[in-house]
Amino acid sequence: MDRSTPLSYDDQLKEDRQRLLRARWRFTLLPLKGLAGLLALSLPVALLGWSQYSNIVPLFLFFGAIVVLFAGAWYDFGAKGYVRDLIHTHQPITGEDLDRIHREQFILTLCYGGVAGLYILIALGIALA
Amino acid sequence: MTVAVDIPEVSRVPLPSRARPSAPSAEKVLEIRSLSVQFGTEDGTVLAVDRISFDLHARETLGILGESGSGKTTLSLALMTLLPENAHVEGQALFSGEVIADAQISGGAIRKLKRRERKGLSQKLSRIRWRGISMVFQGSQNAFNPVYTIEKQIAEVFQIHTDLPKQEIHDRVVRAVQRAGLDPAVLKAYPHELSGGMKQRAVIAMALALTPKLVIADEPTTGLDVVTQARLIAELKELRQTRIQSMIVISHDIGVIAQLADRVAVMYAGRIMELASVDEIYSRPANPYTKALIESYPSIARARTGIQGIPGTPPDMIHPPTGCPFAPRCSYVEERCRREDPIPQEISPGHWSACHFALDIQAGRRAPTVPPPEALPPVTMPDGLLDRPLLVETKDLTKFFDLRASAGGSLFSRPGSSRVVHAVEGVNLDIHPSEIVGIVGESGSGKTTLGRTLLRTIDATGGEIRFRFREEGKESGGEVVDIVPLKSSGRQLREFRRRSQMIFQDPYDSLDPNQIIYDIVEEPLIGHHMAANPDVTLSRIQEALRSVRLTPPENYLDRYPHELSGGERQRVAAARALVLKPDLLIADEPISMLDVSLRAGFLNLLRQMRVELGTTIVYVTHDIASARYVADRILVMYLGVGIEFGPSEELIREPLHPYTKALIQAVPLPSPTWNPGNLEIMGEIGNAINVSKGCRFSRRCPYRQSQCEDVPPPRKAHGAHWYLCHFTQEELLAIRQKGGFMIPPASSGFAAPP
């Protein structure tokens, strides 16, 4: 962590924006990894000619979609830990901070909803194929 | 009046006069008549307060002094009619002639009242509480609701107890916080944004909001830094002359009581052992317990002469002893003391003592029958200590905490604002074998983080920690390794973990309550695969317990932590650290949770550990007096930076940095003559996020000049003693003489949140 050359305010904002996008992506990547994992696990079985593949795997994907939806709705995405850190360092918490926390949680819930949709689309694709 | 432990008729004695603008009047605010409080528990009945009697007059402050468990807080809760349902009260307490505690209206008896009687009691209490008697509760740092602003919580007092309109309530809240020495900007803040001192002031503002007749302050400064404590004492002293009519101050700290009280009641085992004017108590104590308390107080002056703790522990109040309750710990004990309960006697007007030999003890005519614990000689640096090869050396050691380090932090952080806590920055420290180094500073100065980084329980952000892996029994030689880059699974770091141990601040939390002492002390041996042979393990555990003076060790092995006193628990924590025979021991505020009477004993133990075992100790504390008592050299830290370092005697006698001078000024003396009013320091420490580019202390320094804020201060050395400041001592003196010296304002310097 090099702190010897402080960034200008604009550069700081740009860096914060990039951090924000990276953080959103890191959280969204988790259910995507789950999807890839599910497909990767079932693919060898499909290649071996398992006849029930198109019946069973979509079911798993559908259940996976429900889990992702619930995770997106209930997980706090680290907000509790962040507020605890602010409290420990005597930082003020304003209405703006709470708005930002709620907005980011909403965006990530939407992202998780989208990923859950992807699970269902793929499930449908496999079932109908 | 007085103590009446066994006397049915309580004699009335005029109050002592004291140099105070408004002397106590004859009007009685509080009359307590042979008040006893018992608690029914599963193990039996605990006698918490035992037949106490005294009066409190208008414009008088009574200090109640005693160790934990002496019944101080129970007494205050009885006066507020806040006792729990398992409490049973005997005797009576009257506030301005109205009964506020007796067998019918206190504790579990309230449940037996008829509905109408209960309603009447509720109305009476609602009228008396806050307008008649208000209270500053113990641990008031946690007294505020974290989800409401300070204003909302103080305004609640007015909303419940008055019919004032909203605007008037707001104005009064503003005035209340201003009177308590706070900036009105704090009103919009949430409790977590305030420092400990500010929260305490806000609690005091709340207690004084309706100008009550009586304020009960239960441990008002406990848990605060010395600087904040000194400020608060000065402010309470001022409020006592202007806003507070009568006050009861409860504390285990003799220094605090000496400052605030007109009269002092010394409590032990639920009784008043001595009651007298504050001057009499401190200059002519007539009870062995009072004497022992005063002698065990680790003030900065006593740190040079040796401190003795009080041996033993307070009695079990489920089975109260016959005779004098202090007899098992008393140096003047005789057979009569164990047999007969001492009757309080008035040895001079207004001075009462519950001791068979009060007059002789006061006059110094009585020799101790039991030799008191031996006081250690003043700490002296062992010859050639600084010539020995270093055990630990840090180079520019740095630890930052980035609140955006986690994905959640990056997601929710405010854009464009700094979120890096500069907990430790550029610390250079060298520690020799068998040396005790004190790290001193206020809360938030980074001393605990430095200690943990030295042990690598948290990873450093930058810099080096060079540690010498010595061969057993040899002071020199061995490989020097930088432990910062070591892999956590590596052999060398495992070996470092064995050689470095820690004693934590709170012995009530750091010991597992479900484990017996044997298991607790054995655990590090198991962790380092050294417990294969049960006989060897047992002997190592016994040796560790013996080295911390828990003797005979067999008596402790099967006991659980709750069966031990605070001092004994901390010794078990020390034994757990010593069982691995470490080279380096970090003691993080090891005495801050202990009673005054137990502190001296633990400090003596640290010094004995160094002499007998050759252990190198880093002693972390906010109390510079105790650091003087144990440490060879002291590092003073401020907002993550070491600002002064030197041999402890030299640093205390000739402090060079303005912050060190203020820290020394702030240590209370156990004497009514000490004046905490003119500390040369401004505001409060703040946080280590938006730190100054120049001198970290510049925002609080009364000598501040233009360059201090922007230019990092150079290191100025006087032999082995150095400090970080732009100015020499002559220049600081010149600034003072030229009038560039800023007088610290009374306010706390709270900056409104952005």
Side-chain angles (χ1 to χ4, degrees):
Chain A
M1 191 187 306
D2 182 19
R3 304 276 155 202
S4 54
T5 48
L7 297 172
S8 69
Y9 185 70
D10 286 343
D11 290 341
Q12 176 78 55
L13 283 182
K14 222 179 270 176
E15 197 196 276
D16 286 347
R17 176 83 190 148
Q18 279 167 359
R19 269 175 188 268
L20 178 70
L21 293 175
R22 271 201 303 272
R24 283 182 193 160
W25 174 239
R26 269 166 70 181
F27 279 116
T28 314
L29 206 57
L30 283 171
L32 285 174
K33 279 182 179 170
L35 177 62
L38 269 175
L39 291 174
L41 277 175
S42 60
L43 209 60
V45 196
L47 292 175
L48 288 174
W50 184 32
S51 59
Q52 292 299 307
Y53 179 78
S54 59
N55 291 333
I56 302 293
V57 171
L59 208 61
F60 276 108
L61 287 173
F62 184 72
F63 285 135
I66 290 173
V67 170
V68 170
L69 268 178
F70 269 89
W74 292 105
Y75 183 45
D76 72 341
F77 301 102
K80 216 181 270 179
Y82 175 70
V83 170
R84 194 179 54 230
D85 284 348
L86 289 185
I87 288 172
H88 285 167
T89 50
H90 302 290
Q91 295 290 294
I93 304 171
T94 61
E96 266 179 59
D97 291 310
L98 296 181
D99 287 348
R100 191 176 314 102
I101 289 171
H102 293 152
R103 192 181 62 230
E104 289 305 325
Q105 284 182 328
F106 180 64
I107 290 170
L108 280 170
T109 304
L110 287 181
C111 290
Y112 272 53
V115 175
L118 196 63
Y119 272 64
I120 292 169
L121 273 177
I122 293 173
L124 280 173
I126 294 172
L128 297 175
Chain B
M1 161 13 248
T2 35
V3 193
V5 177
D6 271 337
I7 319 172
E9 271 304 309
V10 178
S11 59
R12 305 271 171 259
V13 184
L15 287 162
S17 63
R18 233 196 129 203
R20 191 182 158 182
S22 48
S25 78
E27 183 202 338
K28 282 177 199 158
V29 175
L30 194 66
E31 295 166 73
I32 296 181
R33 304 270 171 273
S34 199
L35 189 76
S36 295
V37 181
Q38 295 177 336
F39 293 105
T41 68
E42 283 183 11
D43 296 331
T45 303
V46 180
L47 180 60
V49 172
D50 188 9
R51 292 162 293 168
I52 278 180
S53 301
F54 65 84
D55 291 345
L56 181 73
H57 294 246
R59 293 193 297 281
E60 186 191 18
T61 301
L62 176 75
I64 299 182
L65 179 68
E67 291 173 88
S68 302
S70 58
K72 313 181 295 289
T73 299
T74 304
L75 175 63
S76 66
L77 292 178
L79 299 181
M80 291 292 284
T81 328
L82 286 174
L83 288 171
E85 285 195 350
N86 65 339
H88 172 69
V89 171
E90 282 170 26
Q92 207 176 40
L94 296 114
F95 170 71
S96 296
E98 276 190 282
V99 177
I100 51 168
D102 71 5
Q104 278 77 46
I105 62 164
S106 301
I110 294 178
R111 271 194 309 176
K112 292 177 191 155
L113 293 177
K114 287 179 186 160
R115 221 170 100 181
R116 193 181 299 165
E117 289 171 331
R118 212 182 294 178
K119 196 176 169 193
L121 175 66
S122 170
Q123 282 170 346
K124 182 169 91 172
L125 292 178
S126 169
R127 181 166 41 80
I128 291 176
R129 282 182 190 156
W130 238 256
R131 273 186 291 190
I133 309 175
S134 70
M135 188 159 177
V136 176
F137 287 97
Q138 191 171 4
S140 55
Q141 301 204 38
N142 299 319
F144 285 112
N145 187 331
V147 298
Y148 293 125
T149 60
I150 300 295
E151 177 169 21
K152 189 172 167 62
Q153 298 186 59
I154 298 179
E156 221 169 43
V157 172
F158 291 96
Q159 283 159 4
I160 292 170
H161 296 280
T162 68
D163 300 321
L164 294 170
K166 260 188 175 178
Q167 186 54 44
E168 178 65 18
I169 288 178
H170 172 76
D171 294 345
R172 289 202 183 196
V173 171
V174 170
R175 281 205 295 275
V177 293
Q178 280 175 328
R179 276 195 296 260
L182 284 171
D183 190 313
V186 300
L187 291 175
K188 299 287 171 231
Y190 287 89
H192 77 268
E193 294 171 51
L194 272 56
S195 68
M198 284 191 258
K199 266 187 250 184
Q200 195 71 3
R201 286 189 186 94
V203 168
I204 290 168
M206 196 148 83
L208 300 183
L210 296 178
T211 329
K213 262 187 170 178
L214 170 64
V215 178
I216 301 173
D218 190 0
E219 305 274 6
T221 62
T222 301
L224 301 178
D225 284 314
V226 277
V227 174
T228 316
Q229 174 175 281
R231 279 257 175 72
L232 209 67
I233 289 173
E235 284 160 18
L236 276 171
K237 273 177 119 172
E238 207 180 308
L239 285 169
R240 213 177 55 141
Q241 293 174 6
T242 53
R243 303 283 307 170
I244 298 174
Q245 298 185 35
S246 305
M247 181 157 71
I248 293 179
V249 184
I250 295 168
S251 182
H252 66 265
D253 191 327
I254 306 165
V256 174
I257 294 282
Q259 287 304 302
L260 295 172
D262 298 310
R263 278 194 307 159
V264 180
V266 182
M267 279 187 79
Y268 182 76
R271 300 177 179 197
I272 294 182
M273 303 296 280
E274 189 166 6
L275 178 72
S277 72
V278 68
D279 301 315
E280 281 273 302
I281 286 278
Y282 288 94
S283 58
R284 305 176 67 228
N287 193 290
Y289 179 58
T290 314
K291 271 183 88 128
L293 267 184
I294 293 171
E295 278 163 16
S296 66
Y297 188 75
S299 68
I300 203 152
R302 286 196 80 85
R304 287 310 299 152
T305 57
I307 312 165
Q308 302 161 6
I310 306 178
T313 51
D316 171 13
M317 292 312 283
I318 292 180
H319 308 104
T322 50
C324 175
F326 187 59
R329 305 172 74 187
C330 182
S331 304
Y332 300 90
V333 66
E334 298 235 339
E335 197 40 47
R336 184 184 167 197
C337 306
R338 301 184 205 278
R339 228 178 28 242
E340 283 176 42
D341 218 352
I343 295 170
Q345 45 183 314
E346 191 176 22
I347 51 173
S348 59
H351 190 158
W352 291 76
S353 174
C355 176
H356 296 298
F357 314 108
L359 273 172
D360 289 346
I361 282 166
Q362 188 184 39
R365 288 193 295 261
R366 197 162 186 85
T369 52
V370 178
E374 206 175 309
L376 294 179
V379 70
T380 46
M381 203 185 290
D383 288 336
L385 180 85
L386 301 183
D387 301 329
R388 296 177 194 169
L390 295 173
L391 178 72
V392 181
E393 185 183 15
T394 70
K395 287 225 183 291
D396 292 326
L397 187 63
T398 299
K399 176 65 194 173
F400 291 153
F401 293 101
D402 190 348
L403 299 188
R404 278 185 288 220
S406 66
S410 302
L411 202 59
F412 304 122
S413 276
R414 204 175 297 167
S417 66
S418 176
R419 283 286 189 258
V420 178
V421 181
H422 300 240
V424 173
E425 197 165 357
V427 171
N428 295 303
L429 183 65
D430 48 286
I431 304 170
H432 299 264
S434 305
E435 186 181 11
I436 303 182
V437 173
I439 301 180
V440 178
E442 290 172 90
S443 300
S445 59
K447 46 192 197 307
T448 296
T449 307
L450 174 60
R452 288 174 185 244
T453 313
L454 282 177
L455 284 186
R456 251 207 75 177
T457 52
I458 47 177
D459 289 330
T461 308
E464 293 175 15
I465 305 169
R466 292 183 191 162
F467 183 81
R468 181 182 295 277
F469 286 86
R470 298 181 301 168
E471 285 171 43
E472 206 151 311
K474 288 187 182 172
E475 284 204 336
S476 57
E479 192 186 357
V480 177
V481 176
D482 179 10
I483 60 156
V484 171
L486 291 183
K487 281 188 182 161
S488 45
S489 55
R491 183 194 58 81
Q492 212 150 22
L493 191 65
R494 275 187 69 80
E495 179 57 19
F496 173 72
R497 298 240 181 271
R498 188 190 71 73
R499 288 168 183 253
S500 56
Q501 291 290 310
M502 188 158 192
I503 300 174
F504 296 94
Q505 184 172 3
D506 189 349
Y508 296 88
D509 276 350
S510 66
L511 304 182
D512 185 342
N514 297 315
Q515 287 187 324
I516 54 171
I517 304 307
Y518 178 92
D519 293 338
I520 289 170
V521 183
E522 186 196 24
E523 213 165 25
L525 294 173
I526 296 172
H528 287 273
H529 310 296
M530 295 164 75
N533 184 334
D535 292 335
V536 175
T537 304
L538 178 64
S539 75
R540 287 192 81 151
I541 292 169
Q542 288 180 330
E543 190 187 336
L545 290 174
R546 259 192 293 270
S547 66
V548 295
R549 307 288 188 274
L550 290 176
T551 50
E554 297 78 30
N555 287 1
Y556 290 89
L557 293 175
D558 293 332
R559 292 165 78 178
Y560 285 93
H562 73 265
E563 296 172 52
L564 308 179
S565 71
E568 285 174 322
R569 286 181 207 209
Q570 199 58 300
R571 281 166 193 259
V572 171
R576 179 177 56 186
L578 289 177
V579 75
L580 291 172
K581 301 191 175 164
D583 290 337
L584 176 67
L585 185 64
I586 311 266
D588 184 9
E589 306 237 24
I591 60 164
S592 65
M593 302 295 285
L594 304 182
D595 263 320
V596 171
S597 64
L598 302 173
R599 288 180 182 181
F602 196 80
L603 291 176
N604 289 338
L605 176 71
L606 288 179
R607 289 175 51 181
Q608 283 158 347
M609 273 158 50
R610 181 261 284 276
V611 173
E612 292 166 13
L613 309 172
T615 315
T616 307
I617 299 171
V618 175
Y619 175 67
V620 177
T621 182
H622 66 261
D623 176 11
I624 203 165
S626 67
R628 181 189 202 186
Y629 187 60
V630 294
D632 301 306
R633 292 187 297 164
I634 293 176
L635 173 73
V636 181
M637 287 195 72
Y638 187 80
L639 278 184
V641 175
I643 55 168
E644 185 165 355
F645 185 53
S648 30
E649 259 324 284
E650 207 178 311
L651 188 132
I652 300 285
R653 282 178 194 276
E654 292 166 37
L656 302 174
H657 197 282
Y659 178 61
T660 314
K661 291 176 189 175
L663 268 186
I664 294 169
Q665 261 185 325
V667 179
L669 297 180
S671 157
T673 53
W674 179 64
N675 177 17
N678 303 313
L679 288 185
E680 293 182 358
I681 190 167
M682 297 186 288
E684 300 214 3
I685 189 164
N687 63 47
I689 291 185
N690 298 309
V691 290
S692 158
K693 275 185 280 176
C695 174
R696 291 271 162 97
F697 186 59
S698 61
R699 290 174 193 167
R700 297 178 76 192
C701 184
Y703 298 90
R704 181 177 65 205
Q705 301 294 306
S706 53
Q707 69 267 44
C708 298
E709 186 80 18
D710 302 317
V711 185
R715 182 162 141 169
K716 292 190 165 59
H718 289 227
H721 185 179
W722 58 257
Y723 70 114
L724 289 186
C725 185
H726 289 284
F727 309 109
T728 61
Q729 296 306 298
E730 293 74 29
E731 286 166 337
L732 287 173
L733 192 66
I735 292 170
R736 180 189 270 272
Q737 283 166 348
K738 273 184 201 158
F741 182 82
M742 283 173 272
I743 303 297
S747 83
S748 58
F750 179 81

